[in-house]
């Protein structure tokens, strides 16, 4: 336990020291003790980001767990280049969000630097464990069900969850880098930790009073979270997922255990373990961090402004009509 | 330093954990000596007032996730909010055939739910139906006047008799047990439901309600239901009743017959000559 | 002074009520609807001395119990009658004639026979408790016992209503064209003012601190009358029974009701109608009930009626009108079937 903590702290601090964009945090000679909220909770409050270039799984061809600072920089640089690659105006390829143009790409905002080659630390190979037999069956079933929905533009329901403005990667749990606007706000009134995810204004209210998990019939997209403090660490257990938003293929039986520990004024260590015995042969764990960022968080009224989905479907229907008419013309010749 | 920190943290954690648990336990207990309601002029606990529940029981008394409306046009306005359930133990102990019937009811709820047709809601659905009701308490009779469809329940405190005939709201006899009003109701027909999810009963339904004031503005409402034709054993539900404290609160008309006539008789409307 | 005289008269009438009601209810046990001749009975001990109602635990004059306003006295004085009071014999004769009409038997199997035979089910007035009254009309003001003439505004509204009814089509064309009582929305007994419902004309009054509740049997209508000084309700909130506010003036409960929705026009009134009711317990088994109707957009003057309530037996049974309203569905279905038959016959003859 102690060794892992030290390892993360070391990795993060080294990264902080190496990065030019970061203000080096004070070199600590003894463990940091977070300030307290009015009811005595370690204070995690504020605005945080988990934006990072570190992938969840170790890239193919990489075997080590930790990059050297130079290797880490090079990996980041490569990713930034890909993100800001310009496309030819007027071509189909140009019809997409140019994140870098609007300052939304990761490199133009604060992001968490990390020397790790993957967020996954267990299994040691940095990859999600193999599926169980049941897991394989469910994955195949899912694929078949998805096929039944037809093509991506056949209906709203056959689109991706984020395009439908249902839920994005940020809230989880576990909370993942959202690609942009990867921001959170934590507020702690007595007995509760509230985590607001910018996209899509998703809120988890984590109770700390030891109440049991609700009946298995109550299921939610973000599950139901129950929290407790273990020393300086907030441990959050989440169950009762509805299974409609698989996390890397998870199902409704997934249990997520998150651990939040404030390491410094501007860093929260964020670790999570995924335990889904119907899907995977063993639990797996990852480590990341959240960095203090500048507030406030703006309203993300995704569904209310979802012209994209509507227009895409209209366009697809028009395209079909056009093709049908052309076929008719050809046929009548 | 570290030891003191450990002890301090442990104590804080214990306090933080114990206090809410104790409060919760107290809240769920029936009338403890802790609260004694003010009295009516004839010396009984005063239940007069306008009351309402705040839960999702009318959608489904068992625990349930959120879900879409069965009436597509209503979109989110008619959708079902999630609920942790009010049934003790989380599941109604249906006889197997009865559970099947409940599921059929649910599948056809848009056509079958008597609430949609503005029929009298029965008991205890009237209590948690989501509209306020007024308790008018006199020595001989305690009246429950519900806003929904103007449903009326008369609780006979004296001159008690058996139900002369079946009815939608049943026949209620009441008595005081200390701080608690106990209401025993029989004589139901089998036409009302327990919620919008198709949970139902037969004409053998027997309901015992216990109203126990727990503070100036809340009542603990405990209900035991038994029905040998539908349930394998008696079962319970429990919830707080909250008082309307705004000035000039009053029950207004919800005379819904008008609102459902087109639904019920529209197909019998004379069509213009072709 | 005049007030006291009327109260004596009322007391006297109540004595008569007691005597005659007792007689009549005995007669009502038999099949025959014709009431027995009134017997002289000892006058109510309270007559001649102002009755003081018992008090509820919170000090209100106690109006609680089960009451009926069933009566043979019409609202308006019949044509050809000029006096204000019948003699007892004349009253008996009038009741007898009305009771005979009610229990008139029709020929089974004829269309005329398709109706409620109230007397068969013991629902007609003579077989239940009713408030006996020597008056020739419930209306006491104007002095001629009739509703004042409708003014120009009221006539215009009546014409508009008639036109709207006409353009809506026949009575059996649609549910909305059928009488409001047949639709089980509201019946006359609820008022206000409380009217004789024709049968099941029963009420239950329950009082709790600050409230008087009046339950009308048909259609389980409840008015909860607050007695505090809350403001008049906003004009946008309109109800079939309006919104009532009450206060005690001595031993008389005065209830003012406004905010009617105008859909249940009482004798042609509009949504601007205001009803003032006065309840005074005059004996253990009688309540004096008087009401005044005002609507300057319908009548140029107010009018007042005196329609006593007498004690009846409880309990009041549930009246689940709408839940078993087969009548409406069957009538409409029948009308549609008739039309279809006619249409097919026409086709057949072409």
């Amino acid at each position: 336990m102690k060794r892992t903590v030290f390892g993360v702290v070391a990795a993060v601090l080294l990264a902080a020291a190496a990065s030019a964009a970061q203000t080096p945090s004070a070199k600590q000679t003894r463990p940091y003790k977070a300030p307290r909220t009015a009811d005595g909770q370690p204070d995690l409050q504020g605005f945080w980001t988990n934006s990072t270039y570190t992938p969840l799984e170790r890239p193919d061809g990489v075997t080590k767990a930790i990059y050297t600072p130079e290797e880490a920089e090079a990996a980041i640089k490569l990713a930034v280049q890909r993100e800001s690659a310009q496309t030819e105006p007027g071509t189909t390829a140009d019809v997409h969000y140019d994140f870098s143009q609007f300052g939304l790409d990761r490199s133009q905002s604060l992001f968490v630097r990390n020397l790790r080659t993957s967020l996954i630390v267990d299994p040691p190979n940095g990859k999600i464990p193999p599926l169980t037999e049941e897991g394989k069956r469910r994955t195949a079933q899912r694929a078949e069900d998805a096929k039944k929905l037809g093509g991506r533009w056949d209906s709203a329901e056959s689109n991706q969850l984020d395009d439908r403005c249902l839920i994005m990667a940020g809230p989880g749990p576990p909370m993942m880098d959202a690609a942009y606007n990867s921001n959170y706000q934590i507020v702690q009134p007595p007995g509760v930790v509230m985590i607001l995810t910018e996209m899509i204004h998703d809120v988890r209210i984590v109770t700390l009073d030891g109440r049991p998990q609700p009946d298995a019939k109550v299921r939610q997209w973000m599950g139901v979270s129950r929290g407790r403090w273990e020393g300086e660490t907030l441990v959050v257990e989440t169950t009762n997922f509805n299974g409609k938003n698989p996390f890397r293929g998870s199902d409704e039986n997934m249990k997520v255990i998150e651990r939040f520990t404030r390491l410094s004024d501007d860093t929260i260590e964020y670790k999570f373990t995924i335990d889904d015995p119907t899907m995977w042969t063993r639990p797996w764990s990852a480590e990341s961090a959240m960095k203090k960022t500048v507030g406030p968080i703006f309203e993300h009224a995704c569904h209310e402004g979802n012209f994209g989905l509507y227009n895409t479907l209209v366009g697809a229907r028009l395209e079909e009509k056009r093709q049908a008419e052309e076929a008719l013309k050809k046929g009548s010749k | 330093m570290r030891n003191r920190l450990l002890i301090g943290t442990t104590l804080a954690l214990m306090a933080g954990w114990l206090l809410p648990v104790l409060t919760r336990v107290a809240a769920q207990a029936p009338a403890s000596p802790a609260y004694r309601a003010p009295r009516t002029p004839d010396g009984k606990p005063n239940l007069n007032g306008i009351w309402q529940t705040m839960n999702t029981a009318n959608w489904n008394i068992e625990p349930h996730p959120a879900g879409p409306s069965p009436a597509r046009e209503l979109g989110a306005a008619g959708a079902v909010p999630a609920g942790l359930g009010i049934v003790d133990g989380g599941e109604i102990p249906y006889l197997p055939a009865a559970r099947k019937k409940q599921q059929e009811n649910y599948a056809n709820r848009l056509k079958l739910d008597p609430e949609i047709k503005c029929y009298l809601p029965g008991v205890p659905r009237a209590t948690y139906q989501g509209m306020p009701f007024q308790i008018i308490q006199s020595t001989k009779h305690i009246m429950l006047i519900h806003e929904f469809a103007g449903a009326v329940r008369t609780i006979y405190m004296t001159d008690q008799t058996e139900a002369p005939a079946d009815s939608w709201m049943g026949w209620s006899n009441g008595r005081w047990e200390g701080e608690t009003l106990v209401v025993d109701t029989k004589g139901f027909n089998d036409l009302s439901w327990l919620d919008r999810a198709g949970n139902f009963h037969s004409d053998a339904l027997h309901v015992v309600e216990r109203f126990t004031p727990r503070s100036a503005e809340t009542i603990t409402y405990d209900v035991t239901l038994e029905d040998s034709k539908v349930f394998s054993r008696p079962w319970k539900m429990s919830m707080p009743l909250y008082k309307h404290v705004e000035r000039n609160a009053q029950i207004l008309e919800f005379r819904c017959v008008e609102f459902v006539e087109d639904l019920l008789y529209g197909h019998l409307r004379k069509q213009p000559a072709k | 002074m005049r007030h006291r005289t009327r109260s004596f008269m009322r007391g006297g009438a109540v004595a008569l009520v007691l005597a005659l009601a007792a007689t009549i209810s005995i007669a009502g046990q038999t099949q025959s609807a014709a009431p027995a001749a009134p017997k002289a009975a000892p006058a109510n001990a309270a007559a001649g001395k102002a009755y003081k109602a018992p008090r509820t635990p919170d000090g209100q004059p106690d109006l609680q119990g089960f009451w009926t306003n069933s009566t043979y006295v019409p609202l308006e004085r019949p044509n050809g009658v000029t006096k204000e009071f019948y003699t007892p014999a004349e009253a008996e004769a009038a009741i007898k004639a009305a009771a005979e009409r009610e229990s008139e038997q029709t020929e089974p199997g004829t269309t005329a026979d398709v109706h409620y035979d109230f007397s068969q089910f013991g629902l007609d007035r003579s077989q239940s408790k009713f408030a006996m009254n020597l008056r020739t009309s419930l209306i006491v003001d104007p002095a001629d016992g009739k509703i004042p003439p409708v003014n120009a505004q009221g006539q215009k509204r009546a014409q508009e209503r008639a036109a709207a009814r006409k353009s809506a089509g026949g009575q059996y064309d649609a549910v909305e064209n059928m009488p409001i009582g047949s639709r089980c929305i509201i019946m006359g007994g609820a008022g206000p003012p409380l009217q004789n419902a024709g049968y099941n004309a029963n009420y239950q009054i329950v009082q709790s601190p600050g409230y008087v509740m009046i339950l009308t049997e048909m259609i389980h209508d409840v008015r909860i009358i607050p007695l505090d000084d809350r403001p008049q309700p906003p004009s946008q909130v309109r109800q079939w029974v309006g919104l009532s506010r009450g206060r005690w003036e001595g031993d008389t409960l005065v209830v003012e009701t406004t905010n009617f929705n105008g859909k249940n026009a009482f004798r042609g009134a509009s949504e601007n109608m205001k009803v003032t009711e006065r309840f005074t317990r005059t004996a253990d088994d009688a309540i004096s009930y008087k009401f005044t109707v005002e609507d300057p957009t319908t009548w140029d003057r107010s009018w007042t009626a005196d329609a006593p309530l007498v004690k009846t037996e409880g309990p009041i049974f549930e009246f689940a009108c709408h839940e078993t309203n087969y009548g409406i569905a069957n009538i409409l279905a029948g009308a549609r079937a008739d039309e279809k038959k006619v249409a097919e016959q026409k086709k057949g003859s072409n």
Side-chain angles (χ1 to χ4, degrees), chain A residues 145-160:
Chain A
D145 293 340
K147 247 200 216 143
K148 288 206 187 100
L149 287 177
R152 186 173 171 191
W153 316 122
D154 282 12
S155 65
E157 294 83 353
S158 52
N159 266 275
Q160 295 175 176

Side-chain angles (χ1 to χ4, degrees), chain C residues 27-76:
Chain C
Q29 303 295 334
T30 68
Q31 268 295 338
S32 154
K39 298 189 171 81
N44 182 5
K49 183 170 60 182
Y51 170 82
K52 187 157 159 74
R55 269 27 190 174
T56 64
D58 65 311
Q60 299 179 45
D62 195 333
L63 302 175
Q64 298 183 107
F66 299 98
W67 307 94
T68 181
N69 64 354
S70 177
T71 182
Y72 278 99
V73 179
L75 181 68
E76 294 190 280

Side-chain angles (χ1 to χ4, degrees), chain A residues 131-148 249 279:
Chain A
L131 292 167
T132 59
E133 283 311 307
E134 176 63 13
K136 287 183 194 149
R137 193 197 66 74
R138 285 186 181 221
T139 307
Q141 183 66 52
R142 242 179 233 154
E144 234 194 88
D145 293 340
K147 247 200 216 143
K148 288 206 187 100
M279 292 304 294

